[in-house]
Amino acid sequence: MKNFLSINDCSTEQLKELLAESRQLKKLYKAGGRDLCLSGKTLAMLFEKPSLRTRISFQVAMTDLGGSAIYVKPEDIGGIGKREPIKDIARVLSRYVDGIMARTFEHNTITELAGFATVPVINALTDFSHPCQGMADVLTIEEHCGRLEGVKIAFIGDGNNVARSLAFACAKLGMKMIIATPAGYELDAVSIETANQISADSVSQTNSPAQAVVDADIIYTDTWVSMGQEDEKQKRLDDFAGFQVNAELVKSAPGAKIMHCLPAYRGLEITDEVAESENSIMFDQAENRLHFQRALLKKLMS
Ligand code: CP
Ligand code: NVA
């Protein structure tokens, strides 16, 4: 495993190993232990979009493992692929650092970085996918449901980057996912087919949130307006009306845990009441970004 660009690129065995390492490192760090496997190593972190969780959790993870991280805003380097070609950035950084993580608009940017870098490259969210989020989510689901096999996730909202990574994770790890979106916002057919080729019937779609939540173990939502879609905001808010995760919707799946990758826009995709309810596990999810990413960095960079 050289890079971590998509959950889909990893075997089930590799994903299970990463989960096991995440659990082990979580236990170790909670007990006050340390694993300094990245002592003297440096990670460059390139961000074309804002971030709270990803930026801080990666930086802390590097520090925890004895290494260090450098945060790079696109304007610091004249834009990714603007002041100089992406392939040159990849090769120059590879001479200085031991790993590159990047959050980009276009998915091609990260695949091109990975194609030219000689050090590991990590996808920290693109318009296409968010694999670190997907794996932290899986870790969280395992902790709360006690299993992955047969867990049913109802994803309500936009068929976006977060939905796509979770769909691949479901297919690889024995879970079922039903995605409820307004018409026109479905996850693309190729991604659905890819997931269902990995594991038959693992991912399905509907335009009915009420239908999706029946028998759900997990109800998951994400923003209706992803970073980069700000111009479409008003249209999206109109189109997604009826797709809010609120008390009425969760009533039909009373035991379901509520997940959100955050940031959450209360009053839009989720009500404050549901976000703050007893079944909400969104902060465990946010915490697990750190635990998963320690395992990922250790696997790729040590
Ligand atoms: N969930 C997530 O990736 O959050 P940030 O955008 O704050 O990194
Ligand atoms: N779908 C959201 C996720 C944010 C973590 C976005 O891309 O903005």
Side-chain angles (χ1 to χ4, degrees):
M1 203 174 149
K2 187 203 161 224
N3 303 308
F4 188 67
L5 304 184
S6 170
I7 289 178
N8 190 25
D9 297 337
C10 305
S11 67
T12 296
E13 197 183 12
Q14 285 171 329
L15 296 175
K16 285 188 173 167
E17 268 173 33
L18 281 169
L19 289 171
E21 185 71 48
S22 306
R23 285 193 296 269
Q24 225 164 355
L25 286 174
K26 182 170 183 176
K27 206 165 143 193
L28 177 74
Y29 276 79
K30 293 263 183 202
R34 309 228 93 193
D35 178 344
L36 301 179
C37 60
L38 297 188
S39 172
K41 304 240 168 148
T42 306
L43 177 74
M45 309 194 297
L46 276 49
F47 280 88
E48 287 185 332
K49 302 176 179 182
S51 170
L52 171 69
R53 280 145 290 273
T54 307
R55 176 183 173 180
I56 310 295
S57 58
F58 264 104
Q59 180 134 15
V60 170
M62 279 305 293
T63 309
D64 279 350
L65 297 172
S68 59
I70 302 172
Y71 172 67
V72 187
K73 283 190 287 210
E75 50 269 40
D76 295 343
I77 57 169
I80 301 176
K82 295 200 176 89
R83 181 165 174 255
E84 58 193 307
I86 294 167
K87 61 184 181 181
D88 289 4
I89 296 176
R91 287 174 291 181
V92 170
L93 285 178
S94 297
R95 303 285 178 115
Y96 300 146
V97 298
D98 307 282
I100 300 167
M101 74 87 115
R103 167 168 287 194
T104 63
F105 287 97
E106 287 180 31
H107 192 70
N108 278 346
T109 304
I110 193 114
T111 52
E112 197 174 342
L113 278 171
F116 285 90
T118 54
V119 297
V121 174
I122 296 171
N123 175 354
L125 182 149
T126 66
D127 291 344
F128 182 73
S129 62
H130 198 2
C132 294
Q133 183 68 54
M135 288 306 291
D137 295 343
V138 171
L139 185 62
T140 314
I141 291 167
E142 200 173 36
E143 287 172 353
H144 281 275
C145 297
R147 67 189 208 287
L148 292 178
E149 198 62 43
V151 165
K152 185 187 161 192
I153 302 174
F155 187 98
I156 314 295
D158 191 13
N160 64 12
N161 46 6
V162 169
R164 189 173 287 104
S165 288
L166 204 55
F168 293 150
C170 286
K172 293 268 179 185
L173 294 163
M175 295 181 285
K176 299 266 184 220
M177 181 172 178
I178 176 157
I179 306 170
T181 69
Y185 293 94
E186 290 89 357
L187 192 59
D188 68 288
V190 174
S191 298
I192 298 283
E193 203 180 302
T194 304
N196 287 334
Q197 266 164 7
I198 297 166
S199 173
D201 302 324
S202 51
V203 181
S204 58
Q205 304 212 76
T206 171
N207 299 124
S208 161
Q211 187 189 322
V213 299
V214 174
D215 296 331
D217 299 294
I218 303 289
I219 297 175
Y220 197 123
T221 190
D222 180 20
T223 182
W224 295 337
V225 187
S226 284
M227 293 177 278
Q229 297 174 334
E230 291 77 9
D231 291 350
E232 300 168 31
K233 184 171 177 186
Q234 196 48 56
K235 177 169 170 38
R236 284 179 163 265
L237 298 196
D238 295 341
D239 291 347
F240 281 87
F243 285 76
Q244 185 183 65
V245 174
N246 54 31
E248 181 61 27
L249 184 71
V250 306
K251 213 163 60 184
S252 27
K257 302 289 180 196
I258 309 300
M259 297 183 74
H260 193 309
C261 59
L262 302 176
Y265 298 89
R266 289 164 167 84
L268 295 179
E269 75 273 6
I270 192 164
T271 57
D272 186 58
E273 184 187 5
V274 172
E276 301 295 339
S277 67
E278 204 170 67
N279 282 350
S280 167
I281 56 171
M282 50 184 71
F283 296 104
D284 292 343
Q285 234 182 306
E287 178 184 331
N288 278 336
R289 293 292 304 276
L290 172 62
H291 303 303
F292 170 72
Q293 287 157 199
R294 278 202 209 101
L296 179 67
L297 292 166
K298 178 176 177 179
K299 168 99 180 159
L300 293 177
M301 289 172 61
S302 70

